[in-house]
Amino acid sequence: MAQAILEVIEGGWLTTVQDLGRPGYARYGIPPSGAMDFFALAVANRLVGNPPGAAGLEITLTGPTLRATAPCLVAVTGADLTLQVDGREMPMWMSVFVRRGSVISFGRRRWGCRAYLAIAGGIDVPPVLGSRSTYLPGRFGGLDGRALRPGDRLPIGPAPANLVEQAGRAFPRHLIPPYSDRPVLRAIPGPQDDHFTPEGLKTFFGAEYRILPTSDRMGYRLEGPTVVHGKGTEIISDGVPLGAVQVPPDGQPIVMMADHQTTGGYPKIAAVIRADIPLLAQGVPGESRVSFRPVSIPEAQGWYREMGKLLDWPDSQ
Amino acid sequence: MFPRFLPAGESALVVEFGDEIHPDIHRQVLALDYALSREPFPGLRETVPTYRSLLVHYDPLQLAWDDALGYVTDALRRSAEVPMPEPAEVEIPVIYGGEFGPDLEFVAESNGLSVDEVIRLHAGATYTVYMLGFAPGFAYLGGLPDRLATPRLPTPRPSVPAGSVGIAGRQTGIYALSTPGGWRIIGRTLQVMLALHRDPPTLLKPGDRVRFVPVEQGADEGR
């Protein structure tokens, strides 16, 4: 059987190939990248029978239009951008059979920022340093290091033959993360929380911040009450993990997201816990607001473990 | 007071060896990094060496904070005993000035030097790679002669070509990818600093010794 291809008719506002990222290269200055809402991508992959880290599409705000050259099985999770197949609305968080020649498109955005499309067999672009994730600033990974555009052809890996039988598998509604346009993000103070005054910490963990329109896959820039530094607004540059909250001299926090720089010279007041990164990733720049709540490391590890268990929901085999 | 251990979320910890840029502090960072790479503990994900600290990523499903701290403390003890391998020595050809080094004259003027003196001083020193970071493959080098220290550009350039060699304050560095940047650019190397099909992907690694070799424009053609 010929290899299936997804033909790109419209690219959408910003659609990139992402998997669960490119860990192991931060020491060379290479960010992890990968799906911003990694949970939604992992669920979508499970719905179509892929390993959780197979490459899919991260679809931002406005969806693409795609045509399948062979029968395929897809699942769309994350933000609700009104999934349609041949013009008919289809359910999300569920595997959907797509006939040869059918067109997958999206309509109105109902909520959220990023939808994830997984396809049985995964998107088979060549891996770069062990990952198919697109890193736009470095112009590598994914499809030639860039977003999709009309005329692109995405190769799909080998899929099982019984696709029709696998359609209709659904992720239980009540297990979907508590996405919100005003999420409360749990965060672990440090490593430089001692660079802030007690009032600065109180502000950070008490105030509400708007997500600025300049936010992107590198960082979510926030606007709100000034977080006051105590001992200096710069540090000697050190390593930056995913979710780290940097506070530059203007006192407006920036949360480091998937394509974050690997080192930085601003004090980091806290780190958003892994289990809440998906909630932030669905925050809409210019619209959503977030606030922060301090939690402990054991609590955060427990929540992350629970999140991982959700990927093995009872009927997922 | 040092070393001290700080949390960086639920899956990473920072080991800080000091709060200044100093070769002795950096050596301790590399020694711990080396000890962890020789004998990785179960659940160790990756490490990021920087000027004065090591970021240690661990698997939060396998290790509690205390477990990770225990393993890192053991490695710290070993790192004091195991000698480090000699650092690699890397020569990097650089075309100074002209279109490849638009800020060379500014660096000369602001330090009261001639352009030739800047080149002689910059290429006459031996540098240590303190870290790769910020952007893919960007190398931060310590050891810049004091007389070449120059503040950054007031406004960063939207794009600095890959291979550009720059000065920012008392540091010098090499851009591996074309990115925005505010360093004073004095030259460019045609050496490939970042090759994504290689593993490791960068020419330089933390701890390497670097010397710049001035070359004339055209000398590298045909490579």
Side-chain angles (χ1 to χ4, degrees):
Chain A
M1 197 170 97
Q3 188 178 30
I5 300 276
L6 274 184
E7 295 175 340
V8 179
I9 300 167
E10 290 293 336
W13 188 70
L14 177 70
T15 306
T16 57
V17 176
Q18 299 291 342
D19 56 19
L20 293 183
R22 188 173 283 118
Y25 297 93
R27 61 190 294 111
Y28 305 109
I30 295 171
S33 300
M36 292 273 280
D37 181 346
F38 52 82
F39 182 77
L41 175 66
V43 170
N45 273 322
R46 283 298 172 97
L47 287 168
V48 297
N50 289 344
L57 295 180
E58 180 175 278
I59 295 164
T60 320
L61 298 171
T62 304
T65 303
L66 311 162
R67 185 189 290 116
T69 65
C72 58
L73 187 72
V74 303
V76 176
T77 59
D80 185 350
L81 308 180
T82 316
L83 169 66
Q84 296 169 343
V85 175
D86 292 331
R88 208 175 120 227
E89 182 163 356
M90 300 300 284
M92 294 183 53
W93 303 89
M94 184 187 277
S95 57
V96 172
F97 180 74
V98 176
R99 288 191 181 78
R100 186 166 72 92
S102 282
V103 172
I104 302 165
S105 63
F106 295 84
R108 189 173 66 86
R109 181 177 72 85
R110 294 200 179 99
W111 72 265
C113 188
R114 294 175 171 88
Y116 292 87
L117 183 148
I119 183 162
I123 292 174
D124 193 19
V125 292
V128 174
L129 296 172
S131 165
R132 294 181 170 84
S133 287
T134 311
Y135 174 53
L136 292 170
R139 296 181 210 93
F140 63 79
L143 190 72
D144 302 331
R146 58 170 174 78
L148 301 192
R149 58 191 186 210
D152 284 341
R153 296 167 61 81
L154 293 168
I156 307 305
N162 57 340
L163 291 178
V164 181
E165 294 152 40
Q166 292 191 43
R169 180 192 288 175
F171 186 66
R173 289 256 133 214
H174 67 279
L175 299 182
I176 295 174
Y179 295 123
S180 157
D181 59 359
R182 291 196 167 190
V184 178
L185 305 171
R186 295 166 290 186
I188 297 163
Q192 282 97 29
D193 48 327
D194 63 346
H195 272 249
F196 299 87
T197 62
E199 294 74 46
L201 279 159
K202 222 170 118 189
T203 305
F204 176 72
F205 282 114
E208 195 175 59
Y209 288 88
R210 189 171 78 97
I211 300 174
L212 286 174
T214 48
S215 300
D216 57 17
R217 284 183 44 87
M218 296 176 74
Y220 262 41
R221 294 168 175 274
L222 306 180
E223 179 188 67
T226 301
V227 178
V228 179
H229 295 79
K231 53 174 188 186
T233 56
E234 287 188 30
I235 58 167
I236 297 168
S237 284
D238 69 358
V240 173
L242 174 70
V245 185
Q246 290 189 337
V247 184
D250 65 4
Q252 303 292 300
I254 305 171
V255 187
M256 299 289 109
M257 300 300 275
D259 286 345
H260 66 83
Q261 56 188 62
T262 56
T263 62
Y266 297 129
K268 294 172 283 296
I269 193 169
V272 174
I273 70 170
R274 283 184 176 249
D276 286 355
I277 294 284
L279 304 185
L280 181 56
Q282 294 297 355
V284 179
E287 283 184 19
S288 306
R289 291 167 184 277
V290 297
S291 52
F292 298 91
R293 179 163 77 81
V295 295
S296 72
I297 293 171
E299 285 176 309
Q301 291 189 334
W303 289 317
Y304 186 59
R305 184 168 291 118
E306 283 168 30
M307 179 173 237
K309 283 184 190 155
L310 297 183
L311 293 178
D312 291 312
W313 72 92
D315 64 352
S316 73
Q317 299 315 311
Chain B
M1 158 131 189
F2 293 109
R4 59 179 192 153
F5 306 91
L6 306 170
E10 76 273 67
S11 55
L13 66 86
V14 183
V15 187
E16 266 187 14
F17 291 93
D19 52 10
E20 59 181 316
I21 298 176
H22 192 281
D24 291 343
I25 291 171
H26 186 246
R27 215 165 290 132
Q28 295 176 61
V29 174
L30 293 184
L32 176 59
D33 188 48
Y34 180 65
L36 287 170
S37 73
R38 266 175 58 107
E39 282 180 64
F41 58 81
L44 175 66
R45 284 268 177 81
E46 63 177 304
T47 54
V48 187
T50 56
Y51 287 107
R52 48 87 190 231
S53 67
L54 188 72
L55 179 62
V56 180
H57 289 274
Y58 59 88
D59 180 358
L61 301 180
Q62 267 192 70
L63 301 172
W65 165 265
D66 287 343
D67 303 327
L69 194 59
Y71 282 123
V72 171
T73 309
D74 288 347
L76 205 51
R77 202 170 301 125
R78 291 199 307 274
S79 76
E81 295 155 10
V82 181
M84 296 261 294
E86 283 298 303
E89 296 188 6
V90 185
E91 288 196 344
I92 295 183
V94 176
I95 302 161
Y96 285 97
E99 56 168 321
F100 290 164
D103 301 324
L104 179 63
E105 285 179 14
F106 180 88
V107 170
E109 274 167 37
S110 62
N111 288 292
L113 299 166
S114 71
V115 160
D116 285 346
E117 283 172 315
V118 171
I119 296 172
R120 194 169 46 75
L121 283 167
H122 193 259
T126 302
Y127 302 91
T128 301
V129 179
Y130 272 126
M131 65 176 191
L132 304 176
F134 163 64
F138 187 100
Y140 290 85
L141 310 182
L144 184 74
D146 288 344
R147 293 170 69 194
L148 295 182
T150 314
R152 285 163 208 251
L153 290 172
T155 310
R157 291 186 172 93
S159 178
V160 176
S164 292
V165 177
I167 289 176
R170 297 183 54 190
Q171 302 184 88
T172 188
I174 311 168
Y175 288 78
L177 268 183
S178 176
T179 57
W183 291 38
R184 305 278 177 179
I185 305 303
I186 60 171
R188 195 189 303 174
T189 180
L190 301 180
Q191 188 76 255
V192 174
M193 303 303 296
L194 176 73
L196 296 162
H197 58 276
R198 283 197 310 237
D199 199 349
T202 54
L203 177 69
L204 299 175
K205 59 182 187 303
D208 284 356
R209 294 290 159 78
V210 173
R211 292 182 71 90
F212 294 107
V213 180
V215 292
E216 295 300 315
Q217 186 165 358
D220 277 83
E221 273 171 22
R223 282 165 74 99

